[in-house]
Amino acid sequence: MRTLRYALLLTLAALALPAQAAGDEGELDAVHHTSDGYYLDYSPFGKVELPRLFVVRRDGAIGFEAFRSSTAAVASGLYAIGGHGDGDGPHSPTAHAIDDQAEDGVAAERAEAGEDLTAEELGEANAEEILGEQVEPESAYDAVLVPTGDASVVIDLSMTRHLVFVFVAIGLLALLLLPMGARYKRGVGRTSAPRGLLQNTVETIVIYIRDEIARPNLGDKTDRFLPYLLTVFFFILTCNLLGLLPFGATATANLTTTAVLAVFTFVITQVAGTKDYWMHVLWPPGIPWFVKPILVPIEILGLFTKPFALAVRLFANMTAGHLVLLNLVGLIFIVAGMSETAGWATSVPALGLTLFVYALELLVSFIQAYVFTILSALFIGMATAEHEHDHDHAEDHGFTAHDIAVAQSNGRDSAHKAHERTVGTEGVLA
Amino acid sequence: MTLFVLAAGGLLSTNAGLAFWLGIAFVLLLLLLGKFAWGPITSALAERETTIEESMTRAERALAEAKQLQADNEVARREAEGQAQAILRDAREQASAQRDADVAKTKAEIVRMQESAQADIENQKQQALTELRSEVAALAVGAAEKILRKEIDAEAQRGLVDQFIADLPQN
C-alpha cells in the first residue's frame, strides 16, 4: 500500500514538473517535451546542454569538431544559430525552410494589414505563443546550428536527449543482466532454484519470451535468434519505462530509434532467409505466370513494409501516450487561462485522467515491447521456415496446405495461425 | 496547417547521428548481453530443465522399483509365513505322533510287565505248589507214619498214601 502511494506521488511529480517548467516559461509544449533535443531538461532546476560533435566539411577538408555544448559551439564562432527550434533540437533542413516561409508569410500578411490584425490572426498568433514559437529570444540549445563560412555538416554526431536515455537503458540493462548472467554461471539457477525477486522476475520474462514468442515462431532455430529477441525486448521495455520516470525521456518515442531497431530485425530477417523464402519473394511458386509480374513487386514491397510498420507502430504508440498525458495536463492551464477557479476545478478530473493514461502507458510499455519482439520473431520465423512449395497461392489467406506445412515445420500449429492473422492485421495492432 | 507541419517536423524528424550511435550501441549491447547474460542464462535454464526432467524420470523409475520391491517383499513374506505355518504344522503332527507312539510304547511296556509279573506269579505259584505238595506229602507221610506206626503196617500205609496223593488236585 505504501509503495502504491509512493508510486502515485512519483507519478504526480513526473507530471507536475514539466507542467511547472512550462509555467515558468509561460507555455506548455507537449511536442517539445516528447521530441528529441540537444539538452536534458531538468526544469525548474535548469537545463543541461549536451556535447555537440560534428563531422564537418570545412574548406574542402573533412574534420571533426567537438564542443562541450551548443552554446559553446556558437561561442566558438564556428557555428551560428541557423534558425530557432520549433520546440526541439534536431531539424531537418526542409522543416526549417517551411518554418522560415511561414514566418515570412505571417510577416507579409501583417504588413499588408498594417498592424490591423483580425481576430483570426490574433488567434493564430496566440496559438504560436502557446507552442513556443517566435516568442523567446533564440537559445543555442534549442536551435539548429549551421557552420559558418564555407562549410557544411556531413553528419551531426551530437549527443541528444534520447541518445542519453538509450545509454542509460543500456547501462541499466548491463547492470541488471551481467551480474545475473554471472549468477547463473556460478550455479544459482543452474543447479539450484533461482533466488530472489529480481532473478525470478528476469527468469520469468526470459522463459516467456523463449517459450511463447521464440519457440512457436522459430521452432528449432530458437537458440540462434533468442539472444536478439531477448535483447530487443529488454531494451525497448527499459527505454519505454525510462520515459515514464520524472525527468525521463522516451528514446522509443523517436522515429530514428525505432527505425534503427526495425532495421536490425530487417537485416537479420534477410540474412537468415532461406532459399525457400527468397523463392517465395522473387518467384512465388504455384501461381499462374501472368500473375507473377504483379505479385513479385508486391512481395518485394512487403519486405520493407514489415520493418516500416514495426518502426512506426512503436514510435506512434510511445509518442501518442506521452502527448495524451501532456495534453491532459495542458488542459488545466488552458482552462486556467480562462478562469483560475475553473482551472483548479479542471485539475481534479484532468489529474485523474492523467493517472489513468499513465497506468495505460505502463501497460503499453510492456505491450509494445512484446509486440515488437513477437513480430520480429514472426518475420524471422517466416524467413527461416523450410516448407514445401507445391501449394496453390490463389487461396493464399485461407488456411491452406501451405499454412499446415509451415506450422508443421515450425512445430506448432496454432502459432502459425496466429502469425498469419498478425501479419494480416498489423495495422490493427498498431 | 503550418503548425501541424511544424509539429510533425519536431516529432518525425530523423537524426543520422542518433542512428549512428544507436546502431553501434545496440550492436555492443547485443554482443555484451549475448555473451555474458543470455548465453549463461539460457544454457542454465536448458540445463536445469533437463536436470529436472531427468530427476523426475529417475524418481518415477525409483518409485516403480520401490513398488516392485515392495511387491516382491510381500510375496516373500507370504511365502515365509506359509513355510512357518507348514513347519509348525509338521512339528505339531510330529509331536502328536511322538506322543501317540510314547503312549503305545508305555502301554505295551505295561502289558509286557503285567505279563512278566503274571508269569512270575505263576512260576512262584507252581514252585509254591510243588513245595507245598512235597511238604504236605512229607507231613502226611509223617502223620500217617505216626498213625500207622500204631495201627497198620508199612505196606498198608504206602497204599493209603499213594491213594491220597492221587486224590490231590493236579495244580
Side-chain angles (χ1 to χ4, degrees):
Chain A
M1 200 57 213
R2 177 176 288 181
T3 326
L4 186 65
R5 212 179 308 150
Y6 190 60
L8 289 183
L9 209 69
L10 270 181
T11 312
L12 290 176
L15 295 165
L17 285 171
Q20 205 184 335
D24 287 351
E25 294 157 18
E27 72 200 40
L28 173 76
D29 185 350
V31 172
H32 179 176
H33 185 79
T34 312
S35 51
D36 210 353
Y38 292 114
Y39 59 94
L40 297 173
D41 195 347
Y42 290 124
S43 314
F45 308 114
K47 292 185 167 75
V48 177
E49 285 191 52
L50 293 167
R52 303 296 302 257
L53 177 64
F54 299 95
V55 177
V56 71
R57 181 190 296 276
R58 205 177 277 281
D59 303 323
I62 290 182
F64 277 106
E65 286 175 2
F67 304 96
R68 204 178 50 75
S69 66
S70 300
T71 312
V74 173
S76 73
L78 290 170
Y79 289 84
I81 293 168
H84 48 78
D86 56 16
D88 68 303
H91 280 275
S92 60
T94 39
H96 183 50
I98 294 165
D99 197 353
D100 280 344
Q101 272 174 13
E103 277 169 52
D104 293 342
V106 172
E109 259 177 63
R110 281 185 190 171
E112 267 176 57
E115 293 304 307
D116 188 16
L117 296 175
T118 62
E120 220 177 320
E121 279 171 307
L122 268 173
E124 200 175 319
N126 274 342
E128 281 174 347
E129 269 185 45
I130 290 164
L131 272 177
E133 288 303 310
Q134 307 165 11
V135 183
E136 282 182 279
E138 315 223 357
S139 42
Y141 60 79
D142 223 2
V144 175
L145 298 186
V146 289
T148 53
D150 179 22
S152 61
V153 172
V154 179
I155 182 169
D156 181 356
L157 293 178
S158 308
M159 286 282 274
T160 70
R161 193 188 310 151
H162 286 166
L163 187 57
V164 169
F165 277 88
V166 163
F167 288 145
V168 170
I170 288 176
L172 282 177
L173 284 178
L175 273 180
L176 171 71
L177 294 169
L178 295 184
M180 198 70 77
R183 228 168 130 90
Y184 279 97
K185 216 166 204 164
R186 270 206 315 274
V188 183
R190 186 180 288 268
T191 49
S192 68
R195 261 207 301 277
L197 181 66
L198 210 59
Q199 196 181 4
N200 273 297
T201 312
V202 169
E203 199 184 288
T204 309
I205 298 175
V206 170
I207 290 177
Y208 182 82
I209 291 172
R210 190 193 60 184
D211 292 351
E212 304 298 324
I213 295 179
R215 277 212 182 124
N217 295 307
L218 294 164
D220 53 3
K221 294 178 199 75
T222 299
D223 290 347
R224 228 173 108 202
F225 300 107
L226 188 58
Y228 171 68
L229 297 175
L230 286 168
T231 309
V232 95
F233 179 86
F234 276 93
F235 178 71
I236 292 174
L237 180 64
T238 314
C239 284
N240 292 352
L241 292 177
L242 279 176
L244 293 174
L245 290 178
F247 300 121
T250 324
T252 40
N254 184 317
L255 199 51
T256 309
T257 314
T258 61
V260 168
L261 293 174
V263 163
F264 271 97
T265 296
F266 177 76
V267 169
I268 289 174
T269 309
Q270 309 320 321
V271 169
T274 55
K275 207 179 123 214
D276 274 353
Y277 168 70
W278 288 109
M279 272 294 286
H280 206 288
V281 172
L282 299 174
W283 201 247
I287 59 160
W289 62 270
F290 56 86
V291 185
K292 288 186 184 181
I294 307 166
L295 202 61
V296 170
I298 294 174
E299 290 276 2
I300 291 173
L301 200 63
L303 296 185
F304 298 98
T305 54
K306 283 169 194 161
F308 180 75
L310 270 186
V312 171
R313 179 186 303 107
L314 180 57
F315 159 72
N317 272 286
M318 296 325 294
T319 308
H322 285 258
L323 289 182
V324 169
L325 275 178
L326 289 161
N327 282 322
L328 281 171
V329 175
L331 208 60
I332 302 171
F333 296 94
I334 291 170
V335 174
M338 295 186 275
S339 143
E340 204 178 322
T341 326
W344 281 106
T346 316
S347 67
V348 176
L351 278 181
L353 278 174
T354 311
L355 210 59
F356 170 71
V357 176
Y358 188 91
L360 205 65
E361 273 295 277
L362 209 58
L363 191 66
V364 167
S365 296
F366 283 88
I367 292 173
Q368 286 309 316
Y370 166 77
V371 166
F372 193 100
T373 314
I374 198 167
L375 287 180
S376 294
L378 277 173
F379 298 151
I380 298 170
M382 280 162 76
T384 54
E386 279 143 19
H387 52 283
E388 310 295 307
H389 256 296
D390 44 18
H391 59 280
D392 189 352
H393 232 285
E395 42 173 339
D396 201 346
H397 282 286
F399 203 59
T400 60
H402 161 217
D403 302 317
I404 294 157
V406 174
Q408 280 167 348
S409 81
N410 278 342
R412 256 171 78 164
D413 200 37
S414 58
H416 189 67
K417 266 187 271 176
H419 124 214
E420 288 281 24
R421 261 204 313 279
T422 330
V423 172
T425 55
E426 267 160 43
V428 178
L429 258 176
Chain B
M1 191 55 211
T2 312
L3 295 175
F4 274 121
V5 173
L6 290 175
L11 285 176
L12 295 177
S13 61
T14 50
N15 182 346
L18 175 60
F20 175 77
W21 290 121
L22 177 60
I24 292 175
F26 195 75
V27 166
L28 288 180
L29 181 71
L30 261 176
L31 295 177
L32 195 70
L33 292 187
K35 178 138 178 58
F36 296 109
W38 308 135
I41 291 176
T42 48
S43 79
L45 290 180
E47 204 173 285
R48 207 172 74 204
E49 272 157 23
T50 34
T51 312
I52 290 171
E53 214 157 291
E54 273 171 14
S55 329
M56 276 167 74
T57 325
R58 263 207 308 274
E60 264 164 35
R61 210 181 301 134
L63 189 68
E65 270 171 23
K67 274 189 182 157
Q68 183 60 44
L69 210 64
Q70 206 183 11
D72 287 352
N73 285 348
E74 186 68 13
V75 169
R77 193 178 62 80
R78 275 169 206 278
E79 230 166 66
E81 258 176 26
Q83 270 175 354
Q85 258 161 7
I87 288 168
L88 209 63
R89 204 170 44 240
D90 276 2
R92 222 175 265 143
E93 276 168 12
Q94 255 173 13
S96 93
Q98 184 71 42
R99 203 174 49 240
D100 290 352
D102 282 353
V103 170
K105 206 171 152 191
T106 314
K107 272 184 185 160
E109 185 73 10
I110 289 168
V111 169
R112 196 184 54 76
M113 276 163 74
Q114 273 177 340
E115 276 170 2
S116 126
Q118 249 160 4
D120 275 358
I121 291 166
E122 192 65 25
N123 277 346
Q124 303 242 334
K125 197 172 93 189
Q126 288 299 332
Q127 211 176 333
L129 276 175
T130 317
E131 273 174 23
L132 188 64
R133 204 173 285 148
S134 41
E135 193 70 22
V136 167
L139 283 174
V141 169
E145 228 173 40
K146 276 175 195 163
I147 296 163
L148 285 177
R149 209 154 282 164
K150 296 173 193 168
E151 296 174 16
I152 57 170
D153 61 355
E155 226 162 275
Q157 281 176 1
R158 183 141 325 251
L160 284 171
V161 170
D162 283 344
Q163 187 65 42
F164 173 75
I165 289 170
D167 287 349
L168 277 174
Q170 275 312 299
N171 32 339

